[in-house]
Amino acid sequence: MTDAAEYDVVVVGAGPVGENVADRTRAAGLGTAVVEGELIGGDCSYWACVPSKALLRPAIARADARRVPGLAASVQGPLDAAAVLARRDEKVGDWKDDGQAAWLDSIGARLYRGRGRLHGPRSVSVDGPEGEHRLLTARHAVVIATGSRAVLPDLPGLTGAGAWTSREATSAKQVPQRLAVVGGGVVGVEMATAWQALGSRVTLLVRGGGVLPRMEPFVGEYVVDSLKEAGADVRLGVSVAAVDRPGGHTGPVSVVLDDGALVEADEVLFATGRAPRTDGIGLGSVGLTDGAWLDVDDTCLVRGTDWLYAVGDVNRRALLTHQGKYQARIAGAAIAARAGGVPLLETDRWGAHSATADHAAVPQVVFTDPEAAAVGLSLAEAERAGHRVRAVDYDLGSVSGAGLYADGYRGRARMVVDLDREVLLGAAFVGPGVGELLHSATVAVAGEVPVERLWHAVPAFPTISEVWLRLLEAYRG
């Protein structure tokens, strides 16, 4: 027997992005149902952002302390791995979602636990955990917020070898003696940093010539140098050809490289790509391709529909939690406006119903040692887009605040200036603590603040933020 219910909005997926859509539509007075087959709070809360940063924070704090005379001698020993893992478990609520479910209830959203699938236009079927079936109908909008999943490459021996993906890397209960990490993106370098600090002997295997390829090249160079100094074996320009684990999911694993070399490890992490979690959610019932990324406009409305929205990783615009939450706020506002009969939405550049930042001002922090942070366009991206630009660089270690922050501080800052409009198109930083510099750069890029006005934004002395003054001085000459 199937129960039926009708709502203004039905959200499929209750990670941070789905939660934000529900928050915005409920704030607008729209009846909202949320469907989730796993934990409320999604990957970010339990297998990605939160646990990874919980693992990384002790490593970064120790590294910072070792650069301060008077404190350095006290922090030369190993990390207490058991304590770090226990704190990680506490930060993810021991993988229980009672608090997050209570929050949904507090805003008046109705939670349905189970697998949600589109069942034709404006309809979602839910198969509950105890075999119950429900059919939910949306008067105004269905929102897909199911996120993405790690993809394992098609390699001989990999199936059945018990390889880690990001989920296993952030939730592991023991520190492997030897860990091979395949991939030089954010997950690869962050997990290499964390597990090396926790006592693993890490080998990082990267197919390209550097890590963090979406950031300025110098950023990855600093990160690679630091990983090597910490004891990691970093190999660039190598490809994995096969995996051999005679014991199945346990025991030593051999990673076979394309040149025939072997890397022996106790666990192997593949951080080599993501795919949308859109397989099996009924896209075919509305004329879309099962398992595909969803193409959306700047209101996050799926193209070719007037009722289906896709927010977060599934639309492939920016696979970052904070960016998905931003899209959710934009989509929630657009859904509410359309439901209220607003005749013309604010979809102009930087309008209330336009996710412009997805194109022009995406911020990201990579919590390695040193930290890496960037927003907007890199120099190469700006040049490819046809902008007439100038890159201005500055040695962060030359800033007074950096010298006080840590002896031997090493880092670099860059701003990319549009010479025709004299506004920033992008900024990048690498160095200890630079993540906290990023929002000022994001405001400058998103606000299109003229360089002339930035000259009047006086940085406090002695902070690392004084690099802004040095960059502007270098630009003026």
Side-chain angles (χ1 to χ4, degrees):
M1 182 175 179
T2 299
D3 294 329
E6 187 177 50
Y7 296 88
D8 292 313
V9 180
V10 177
V11 181
V12 182
V17 179
E19 289 177 319
N20 269 258
V21 174
D23 186 43
R24 291 298 83 212
T25 55
R26 284 298 302 132
L30 299 177
T32 302
V34 180
V35 182
E36 178 54 63
E38 287 192 296
L39 295 175
I40 311 304
D43 267 30
C44 178
S45 299
Y46 304 102
W47 299 287
C49 311
V50 173
S52 66
K53 278 41 179 190
L55 292 173
L56 284 158
R57 178 58 193 149
I60 304 306
R62 182 181 65 173
D64 282 345
R66 285 178 170 177
R67 300 184 182 106
V68 181
L71 180 60
S74 302
V75 288
Q76 291 304 313
L79 293 174
D80 183 340
V84 173
L85 296 178
R87 182 173 182 266
R88 183 271 320 269
D89 294 352
E90 184 268 328
K91 293 300 179 185
V92 300
D94 289 314
W95 290 274
K96 297 175 184 175
D97 65 0
D98 298 358
Q100 303 248 24
W103 178 82
L104 275 179
D105 184 63
S106 75
I107 65 170
R110 174 65 189 274
L111 171 62
Y112 290 89
R113 291 190 183 270
R115 174 76 168 174
R117 296 179 178 84
L118 291 171
H119 190 71
R122 291 185 170 83
S123 294
V124 175
S125 66
V126 183
D127 296 327
E130 297 181 7
E132 65 272 32
H133 302 283
R134 295 184 174 89
L135 183 64
L136 310 180
T137 302
R139 285 183 283 268
H140 297 294
V142 173
V143 184
I144 304 298
T146 48
S148 65
R149 57 180 173 81
V151 175
L152 290 174
D154 184 15
L155 292 174
L158 186 54
T159 301
W164 283 5
T165 66
S166 53
R167 281 199 169 197
E168 290 77 22
T170 57
S171 62
K173 298 296 187 182
Q174 301 291 332
V175 179
Q177 185 176 355
R178 300 166 300 173
L179 173 66
V181 179
V182 183
V186 176
V187 172
V189 295
E190 285 194 344
M191 290 299 93
T193 300
W195 289 106
Q196 178 72 32
L198 285 166
S200 289
R201 295 201 304 273
V202 170
T203 302
L204 179 63
L205 305 169
V206 182
R207 184 170 55 185
V211 302
L212 301 176
R214 298 194 176 206
M215 291 189 170
E216 299 284 7
F218 66 81
V219 172
E221 292 168 6
Y222 275 83
V223 172
V224 166
D225 288 346
S226 182
L227 280 168
K228 290 179 177 179
E229 289 174 7
D233 179 5
V234 180
R235 306 188 193 183
L236 304 177
V238 299
S239 294
V240 175
V243 173
D244 181 27
R245 195 170 204 172
H249 280 63
T250 61
V253 56
S254 296
V255 180
V256 185
L257 303 184
D258 54 358
D259 62 1
L262 295 180
V263 175
E264 303 291 343
D266 298 292
E267 299 291 351
V268 56
L269 161 64
F270 278 85
T272 51
R274 308 286 296 178
R277 282 203 184 102
T278 57
D279 49 312
I281 65 166
L283 292 181
S285 74
V286 295
L288 298 172
T289 302
D290 189 60
W293 301 98
L294 294 171
D295 184 28
V296 299
D297 65 17
D298 278 350
T299 70
C300 296
L301 182 69
V302 175
R303 297 187 193 277
T305 78
D306 62 0
W307 59 273
L308 184 63
Y309 292 75
V311 291
D313 284 10
V314 289
N315 63 34
R316 209 180 192 177
R317 288 164 69 101
L319 276 67
L320 296 161
T321 295
H322 50 269
Q323 213 65 23
K325 291 162 71 173
Y326 160 74
Q327 294 169 13
R329 296 190 293 271
I330 297 293
I335 291 167
R338 287 172 172 145
V342 174
L344 188 63
L345 270 60
E346 298 177 36
T347 56
D348 55 308
R349 181 175 167 85
W350 304 113
H353 307 115
S354 181
T356 307
D358 286 350
H359 310 298
V362 175
Q364 183 175 22
V365 179
V366 184
F367 292 85
T368 45
D369 174 37
E371 287 181 351
V375 63
L377 302 180
S378 68
L379 174 60
E381 288 170 337
E383 290 176 337
R384 283 197 299 268
H387 296 288
R388 194 171 67 92
V389 294
R390 177 184 166 195
V392 182
D393 290 8
Y394 198 81
D395 175 12
L396 268 169
S398 299
V399 177
S400 295
L404 292 167
Y405 188 94
D407 280 10
Y409 189 106
R410 289 183 296 172
R412 184 173 168 187
R414 167 174 288 179
M415 67 179 188
V416 179
V417 182
D418 182 330
L419 294 174
D420 294 318
R421 294 188 297 146
E422 288 227 316
V423 298
L424 268 62
L425 294 177
F429 309 92
V430 61
V434 298
E436 297 304 330
L437 292 176
L438 188 60
H439 194 59
S440 57
T442 303
V443 171
V445 173
E448 298 179 332
V449 182
V451 171
E452 283 188 0
R453 181 59 60 87
L454 285 175
W455 186 254
H456 296 282
V458 182
F461 179 86
T463 65
I464 301 175
S465 292
E466 203 174 16
V467 70
W468 280 109
L469 173 59
R470 304 307 171 210
L471 287 167
L472 292 168
E473 287 175 335
Y475 178 71
R476 283 193 163 192

